[in-house]
Amino acid sequence: MKKIIIISLSILLGACSTVGSHDRPSSYYANDSKPKGLASDSLLGENDQKINELLYYQVKLPPKNRIAILKLSQDNHWKFYSNDFTSLTTSLVDGFISELRSSNKVYDASFLPAMLVPEKRTVPTLREAAARFQADLLLAYRTSCNSYNKYRFIDPNETKAYCSVEAILLDVRSGIITKSVVSSQDFVAKKQKEDVNFSETVKKAELEAISKSLLEVAKQVNNFLSNVAVIGKIPN
C-alpha cells in the first residue's frame, strides 16, 4: 500500500470509531423451504413474496471479484488547489484501493467510470451501470466533516472536528446490500506558517482523517469477503 504523504501539519487524531453491519450466520439459511432466488426487478416490488425473497436470499460471490467504487459526495474543489492537495488526494485514493485489492477475493477495485454514472442514482440504475463495468460489487460511499465552532474560542488558530465515511457494499447480481460501514475520525489541527489560511489547515486535516476512515471501511469490506459464500470457480 502506498504510504500516505505527511504534510507539515500539527494534527492530533483523537477518538475514532468504525461500526459495520454484522454478517448473517449460516444457520439463517438452514431451512431449505425458505424462498430462493430473486426476480430481475426485485427491488422495485413491495409485495410480500418479493419482500420474503429479499429477506431470505443468500448472497454468493465468485472466488474473485471486481469492486466498482462510487463516491456519492462532492468535495473535489480543493484537489487542484496546490501540489500538496493533489498529492494528499492521490495518496488517499491509492491507499484505499490498495487495501481493497489486498484481499485474495478481489482481482480489481476501481472507480466506476464517470460516463457510466447516471444522473438519477437509484439502486436499479446503479446496478446496471456497475454491470456494464462487469463489476460483481458496488462500493458506494460519502464523506462528511464538521467542526466544533466553540473550540476556536480557546485558540483561533486551532480547530477540533470530525470526519465520517458512510459506505454500503451492494451485490450487483441481486441488488442486496451486503455490508454497511460508518467510520468516524476526530482530529485537532493547528495552523502552520506555510498554510495560506485557516481553511487550508482544516482541509488538510480533513483529508488525513478521511484517509484513515476509508482504510477502516476497506478492512471491513475485506473481512466480509473472506467469509462470504462462493458461487463456484470461474473458468480459466
Side-chain angles (χ1 to χ4, degrees):
M1 179 173 57
K2 188 173 180 179
K3 187 176 181 181
I4 300 298
I5 296 175
I6 303 299
I7 300 297
S8 178
L9 170 71
S10 175
I11 176 172
L12 300 176
L13 294 175
C16 60
S17 65
T18 301
V19 180
S21 58
H22 287 225
D23 301 344
R24 269 191 169 176
S26 56
S27 59
Y28 203 95
Y29 306 101
N31 188 350
D32 293 334
S33 65
K34 293 176 181 177
K36 298 179 181 179
L38 291 171
S40 59
D41 60 345
S42 57
L43 295 183
L44 301 180
E46 294 183 355
N47 58 64
D48 291 342
Q49 180 180 356
K50 289 187 177 181
I51 291 297
N52 283 328
E53 288 176 350
L54 286 168
L55 288 174
Y56 292 118
Y57 182 82
Q58 183 178 16
V59 172
K60 294 183 179 181
L61 297 174
K64 297 287 186 179
N65 299 271
R66 166 177 279 170
I67 300 177
I69 304 169
L70 175 63
K71 183 179 180 181
L72 298 175
S73 52
Q74 300 292 329
D75 56 358
N76 293 324
H77 56 285
W78 281 87
K79 182 176 180 180
F80 299 108
Y81 177 79
S82 69
N83 183 63
D84 286 346
F85 277 97
T86 300
S87 297
L88 265 176
T89 303
T90 300
S91 295
L92 180 156
V93 171
D94 288 351
F96 178 43
I97 289 178
S98 294
E99 181 65 30
L100 290 171
R101 289 178 177 176
S102 69
S103 169
N104 59 8
K105 295 290 186 71
V106 176
Y107 73 86
D108 182 39
S110 305
F111 278 89
L112 188 64
M115 67 178 63
L116 293 179
V117 179
E119 290 185 11
K120 187 177 180 181
R121 298 178 180 181
T122 63
V123 171
T125 58
L126 290 177
R127 283 178 66 194
E128 181 179 350
R132 291 185 182 278
F133 190 51
Q134 291 196 321
D136 305 281
L137 297 159
L138 175 66
L139 178 56
Y141 74 93
R142 66 180 182 181
T143 63
S144 61
C145 294
N146 294 282
S147 298
Y148 300 104
N149 293 327
K150 188 177 181 180
Y151 193 82
R152 292 196 65 190
F153 286 115
I154 301 174
D155 187 337
N157 290 318
E158 290 189 13
T159 183
K160 183 176 182 180
Y162 70 92
C163 290
S164 295
V165 174
E166 300 175 70
I168 59 169
L169 184 68
L170 183 137
D171 173 33
V172 175
R173 288 175 175 80
S174 65
I176 296 289
I177 295 173
T178 63
K179 188 75 176 177
S180 68
V181 184
V182 178
S183 182
S184 300
Q185 180 73 63
D186 285 357
F187 64 86
V188 176
K190 186 171 184 179
K191 188 176 184 297
Q192 301 295 294
K193 292 185 296 183
E194 61 270 22
D195 293 342
V196 175
N197 51 49
F198 193 69
S199 295
E200 182 176 336
T201 303
V202 172
K203 193 60 184 179
K204 286 178 181 177
E206 288 179 355
L207 287 173
E208 293 282 2
I210 289 172
S211 175
K212 291 179 180 293
S213 292
L214 282 173
L215 287 177
E216 289 300 317
V217 168
K219 290 176 182 178
Q220 290 259 340
V221 169
N222 287 349
N223 184 61
F224 163 76
L225 293 176
S226 67
N227 298 308
V228 72
V230 176
I231 293 174
K233 293 184 178 180
I234 299 175
N236 294 327

